[in-house]
């Protein structure tokens, strides 16, 4: 090779450090599912990542969009598929639509938690991650029979961000696919009492580290959105992963996966006497009990979205709505006739 060829190869290697399996001319294709609190800012984050100047609209079910980027000049554009689950936890079963055995190798999850609603935080996080993890594990179980090499690759990749010599290697339980946790509405959260902020920050640090996830706090601030965007671009387009870390509870957290530790996080924020009275089978369960002692959770029913998407004006379609109204009238008439017929039946009595 001449010197110029070596220079080009070196630049391409630096631009694509995690892209060893993608051949020149081949398109990189990734899928990311955004989920989290209702009205937590998921759509705003997606639009900012895609550099779209649009006003965000409420997401009522499962919405899809995509972005395209070129890794280098004159190269094919890579594709990132973005799915967004609306409705908080009420439609969690819809995660089965975007996560399939065909895309599981290139799938990632972004969990957006509203920092201004700590009483919803743990319930939302637990419900969404539990259902997602169960579904992914079912896919992996099937792959172990049909394509064991792929299943083994995915399971090994879970540990890539945590080196074997890390002191917490035996204490964590990595999520089966890449996970980023975003704490949104930091501008509101920043006005909370310092002790409240410390409890929430410390808890989210533990959860993120336990699941092998990256953690970032963001708001509508351009500087904070750029940090969240950096983590998402790493998942979506293979950009370099930031090595910077911010763990100061008085400032927005930014901790890429694998760069935190239990010793730095410390014990759950409760006195030794309180911790001694709590019965828990796992560290995660202990942190949950401590967190919910300070922030009693809203009932699960209170987190459900009862609004009928069919009535939302952003999905209005005249012909469909007219036909729906007609069918509703026919249904009501059928109910009345059926009720009347039932009442007129003459039952013989013994």
């Amino acid at each position: 090779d001449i010197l110029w060829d070596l220079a080009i190869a070196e630049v391409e290697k630096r631009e694509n450090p995690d892209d060893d399996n993608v051949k020149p001319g081949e398109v990189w294709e990734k899928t990311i599912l955004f989920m989290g609190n209702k009205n937590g800012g998921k759509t705003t984050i997606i639009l900012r990542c895609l550099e779209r100047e649009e006003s965000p609209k409420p997401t009522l079910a499962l919405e899809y969009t995509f972005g395209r980027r070129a890794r280098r000049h004159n190269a094919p554009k890579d594709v990132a598929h973005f799915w967004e689950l609306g409705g908080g936890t009420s439609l969690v079963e819809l995660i089965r639509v975007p996560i399939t055995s065909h895309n599981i190798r290139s799938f990632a999850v972004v969990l957006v938690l509203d920092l201004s609603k700590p009483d919803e935080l743990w319930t939302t996080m637990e419900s969404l991650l539990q259902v997602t993890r169960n579904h992914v594990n079912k896919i992996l179980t099937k792959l172990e029979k049909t394509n064991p090499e792929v299943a083994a690759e995915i399971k090994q990749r879970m540990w890539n961000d945590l080196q074997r010599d890390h002191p917490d290697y035996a204490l964590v339980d990595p999520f089966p696919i890449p996970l980023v946790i975003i704490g949104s509405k930091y501008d509101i959260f920043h006005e909370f009492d310092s002790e409240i902020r410390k409890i929430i920050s410390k808890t989210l640090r533990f959860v993120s580290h336990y699941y092998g996830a990256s953690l970032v706090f963001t708001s509508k601030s351009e500087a904070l959105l750029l940090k969240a965007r950096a983590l998402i671009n790493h998942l979506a387009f293979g950009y370099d992963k930031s090595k910077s870390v911010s763990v100061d509870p008085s400032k927005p957290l930014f901790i890429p996966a694998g760069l935190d530790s239990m010793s730095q996080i410390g014990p759950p924020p409760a006195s030794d006497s309180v911790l001694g009275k709590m019965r828990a089978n796992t560290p995660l369960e202990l942190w949950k009990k401590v967190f919910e002692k300070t922030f009693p959770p809203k009932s699960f029913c209170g987190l459900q979205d009862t609004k009928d998407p069919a009535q939302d004006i952003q999905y209005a379609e005249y012909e469909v709505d007219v036909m729906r109204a007609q069918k509703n009238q026919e249904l009501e008439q059928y109910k009345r006739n059926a009720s009347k017929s039932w009442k007129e039946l003459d039952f013989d009595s013994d």
Side-chain angles (χ1 to χ4, degrees), residues 48 186-187 217-228 252:
R48 186 64 191 87
Y186 179 79
D187 50 336
F217 284 1
T218 189
S219 68
K220 293 181 180 179
S221 159
E222 187 67 19
L224 294 185
L225 280 171
L226 282 174
K227 288 193 171 185

Side-chain angles (χ1 to χ4, degrees), residues 134-200:
N134 290 342
H135 178 61
V136 171
N137 285 339
K138 286 181 181 178
I139 292 177
L140 292 178
T141 299
K142 291 181 180 178
L143 279 176
E144 286 176 342
K145 299 176 181 178
T146 60
N147 199 333
E149 292 183 359
V150 170
E153 174 195 326
I154 294 172
K155 289 187 175 183
Q156 178 56 43
R157 195 176 59 190
M158 292 164 50
W159 296 92
N160 283 354
D161 290 316
L162 203 66
Q163 302 301 320
R164 284 191 174 274
D165 58 354
H166 194 289
D168 302 333
Y169 193 84
L171 303 176
V172 298
D173 185 17
F175 207 67
I177 52 180
L179 173 66
V180 169
I181 297 178
I182 296 179
S184 66
K185 301 188 181 179
Y186 179 79
D187 50 336
I188 300 175
F189 172 78
H190 187 60
E191 301 299 321
F192 287 1
D193 177 80
S194 60
E195 282 303 310
I196 296 297
R197 293 201 312 268
K198 186 176 180 180
I199 293 171
I200 296 173

Side-chain angles (χ1 to χ4, degrees), residues 11 19 24 74 78 88 94 121 169 190 201 219-220 225 251 262 265 306 309 314 326 343:
V11 170
D19 202 14
N74 290 331
D78 298 324
L94 288 179
L121 193 150
Y169 193 84
H190 187 60
S201 297
S219 68
K220 293 181 180 179
L225 280 171
K251 298 177 181 179
M262 297 294 189
I265 297 169
T306 57
Q314 71 170 314
Q326 178 183 327
K343 291 177 181 178

Side-chain angles (χ1 to χ4, degrees), residues 46-307:
I46 292 173
L47 291 175
R48 186 64 191 87
C49 287
L50 297 177
E51 299 179 351
R52 293 182 185 171
E53 299 296 331
E54 302 175 20
S55 297
K57 297 179 181 179
T59 304
L60 295 175
L62 190 64
E63 294 193 0
Y64 168 82
T65 188
F66 68 94
R68 301 175 70 215
R69 302 270 173 84
R71 273 170 282 162
R72 63 185 75 88
H73 185 62
N74 290 331
K77 289 187 175 181
D78 298 324
V79 180
H81 306 279
F82 290 83
W83 290 88
E84 181 185 356
L85 179 69
T89 59
S90 61
L91 302 172
V92 65
E93 295 300 327
L94 288 179
I95 61 101
R96 298 175 182 177
V97 175
I99 309 178
T100 69
S101 58
H102 300 292
N103 64 14
I104 192 68
R105 293 177 70 184
S106 58
F107 207 97
V109 169
V110 174
L111 176 65
V112 181
L113 298 174
D114 189 338
L115 295 173
S116 70
K117 299 176 181 177
D119 56 346
E120 295 182 13
L121 193 150
W122 194 285
T123 306
T124 299
M125 174 185 68
E126 184 177 56
S127 174
L128 292 171
L129 291 185
Q130 189 174 55
V131 173
T132 304
R133 185 168 207 159
N134 290 342
H135 178 61
V136 171
N137 285 339
K138 286 181 181 178
I139 292 177
L140 292 178
T141 299
K142 291 181 180 178
L143 279 176
E144 286 176 342
K145 299 176 181 178
T146 60
N147 199 333
E149 292 183 359
V150 170
E153 174 195 326
I154 294 172
K155 289 187 175 183
Q156 178 56 43
R157 195 176 59 190
M158 292 164 50
W159 296 92
N160 283 354
D161 290 316
L162 203 66
Q163 302 301 320
R164 284 191 174 274
D165 58 354
H166 194 289
D168 302 333
Y169 193 84
L171 303 176
V172 298
D173 185 17
F175 207 67
I177 52 180
L179 173 66
V180 169
I181 297 178
I182 296 179
S184 66
K185 301 188 181 179
Y186 179 79
D187 50 336
I188 300 175
F189 172 78
H190 187 60
E191 301 299 321
F192 287 1
D193 177 80
S194 60
E195 282 303 310
I196 296 297
R197 293 201 312 268
K198 186 176 180 180
I199 293 171
I200 296 173
S201 297
K202 197 172 184 180
T203 300
L204 286 180
R205 280 183 66 186
F206 169 79
V207 170
S208 299
H209 185 56
Y210 184 79
Y211 282 131
S214 297
L215 175 66
V216 59
F217 284 1
T218 189
S219 68
K220 293 181 180 179
S221 159
E222 187 67 19
L224 294 185
L225 280 171
L226 282 174
K227 288 193 171 185
R229 182 184 170 192
L231 288 176
I232 294 168
N233 278 338
H234 170 69
L235 297 178
F237 300 106
Y239 288 15
D240 288 350
K241 186 169 71 171
S242 175
K243 296 295 183 181
S244 65
V245 177
S246 176
V247 297
D248 186 343
S250 66
K251 298 177 181 179
L253 297 182
F254 182 81
I255 313 172
L259 299 185
D260 211 342
S261 68
M262 297 294 189
S263 60
Q264 292 178 353
I265 297 169
S271 65
D272 292 341
S273 60
V274 171
L275 291 176
K277 295 176 183 177
M278 290 183 172
R279 296 182 178 273
N281 296 320
T282 65
L284 188 67
E285 187 179 343
L286 178 62
W287 279 81
K288 174 184 178 180
K289 290 188 175 185
V290 172
F291 185 82
E292 292 186 341
K293 185 177 179 61
T294 306
F295 306 106
K298 279 189 176 181
S299 66
F300 187 77
C301 293
L303 298 177
Q304 298 296 312
D305 183 15
T306 57
K307 183 178 179 181

